[in-house]
Amino acid sequence: MFAQPGIPDAEIVQAYDQWHRNLDADDDPIDTPWHTMAIPQLPPLDGLRVLEIGCGRGGFSHYLASKGADLVAADFSPAAVDIAGRRLEPYGAAEPVVADVQALHFERDSFDLVVSLDTIEHVTYPTRAVAELVRVLRPGGRLVLTTNNYLGLIGLWRAAMRLAGFRFTEFGQPVNQPLMVFPSARLMRSLGCIVNLIDNTGHYLRVPRYQMGYLRLNFLERPHALTKWFGTHRLVVATKR
């Protein structure tokens, strides 16, 4: 757990540092389901002050900077930020920093756009993290956020692993919260936001010995208005009042 609320202790930071170092340096695509959901929701980026929190090794940060964003790429893993910083060297308006989404050191109303892709399920206090994202967003600014949603097949797989005595992780990540339909529209409104869009996609059947590890069940995408609530990948787009 964390030594203080909202502040990762040394063991968690070291675990994520090691996790990032063990990943293939070139394996940081921006064609994952959470990226393909988020990219169409981005406004024109040229000149916008943008925060990407949970930037990891900087694959998506590179994309944002290449579109002209005045970017802060932040992660609580110094190893990840170091890797991201090397990728962002060609972009003078991109700044890599170490920061914790649960206790951001940026001032209120600092950014035109805040992006958090599949990050808040990997912290101890997800609600606090979302509140921080809204706090640093300027009025009229946009929040684009994705998380994993465990109200569906992935949640059943996690429960089955736990009953069998195995630990579930997302690709070996040290911290993983089993969030379901989070953040909600009610939470976003209580934080002073207008909810522009909530969507979910992705239905997967875990197949341990299959090459990919899972089968995507595309037929469950229809009718989308009903089945989307059980999709693995959740997108929330909101505007701060």
Side-chain angles (χ1 to χ4, degrees), residues 51-57 61 73-76 99 101 115-119:
L51 171 65
E52 185 195 3
I53 185 72
C55 69
R57 293 166 297 135
S61 300
D75 199 287
F76 72 41
V101 67
V115 179
S116 172
L117 304 184
D118 278 35
T119 294

Side-chain angles (χ1 to χ4, degrees), residues 57-58 61-69 71 82-96:
R57 293 166 297 135
S61 300
H62 185 278
Y63 172 83
L64 296 170
S66 73
K67 298 298 183 180
L71 176 69
D82 182 60
I83 297 168
R86 292 197 294 270
R87 288 186 169 183
L88 294 172
E89 284 179 356
Y91 303 100
E95 178 186 5

Side-chain angles (χ1 to χ4, degrees), residues 11 23 56 70 72 78 91 107 122 133-134 143 207 230:
E11 287 188 11
L23 293 174
D70 178 8
V72 174
Y91 303 100
E107 294 185 1
H122 302 299
L133 298 179
V134 175
L143 171 64
V207 184
F230 306 101

Side-chain angles (χ1 to χ4, degrees), residues 84-187:
R86 292 197 294 270
R87 288 186 169 183
L88 294 172
E89 284 179 356
Y91 303 100
E95 178 186 5
V97 301
V98 177
D100 176 18
V101 67
Q102 300 165 112
L104 294 172
H105 60 271
F106 308 110
E107 294 185 1
R108 182 182 299 275
D109 305 340
S110 296
F111 297 95
D112 302 301
L113 171 68
V114 174
V115 179
S116 172
L117 304 184
D118 278 35
T119 294
I120 60 172
E121 66 265 40
H122 302 299
V123 302
T124 300
Y125 303 103
T127 301
R128 182 178 302 170
V130 175
E132 281 290 275
L133 298 179
V134 175
R135 181 184 67 81
V136 302
L137 187 65
R138 70 164 178 81
R142 183 177 300 181
L143 171 64
V144 178
L145 183 154
T146 70
T147 69
N148 264 0
N149 169 40
Y150 282 85
L151 184 65
L153 293 175
I154 189 174
L156 293 176
W157 175 251
R158 181 183 181 126
M161 288 192 67
R162 183 168 183 175
L163 289 173
F166 296 102
R167 178 173 177 262
F168 176 91
T169 70
E170 290 179 22
F171 304 103
Q173 293 207 53
V175 179
N176 172 234
Q177 299 276 21
L179 301 181
M180 294 188 287
V181 292
F182 180 89
S184 66
R186 180 177 180 181
L187 172 62

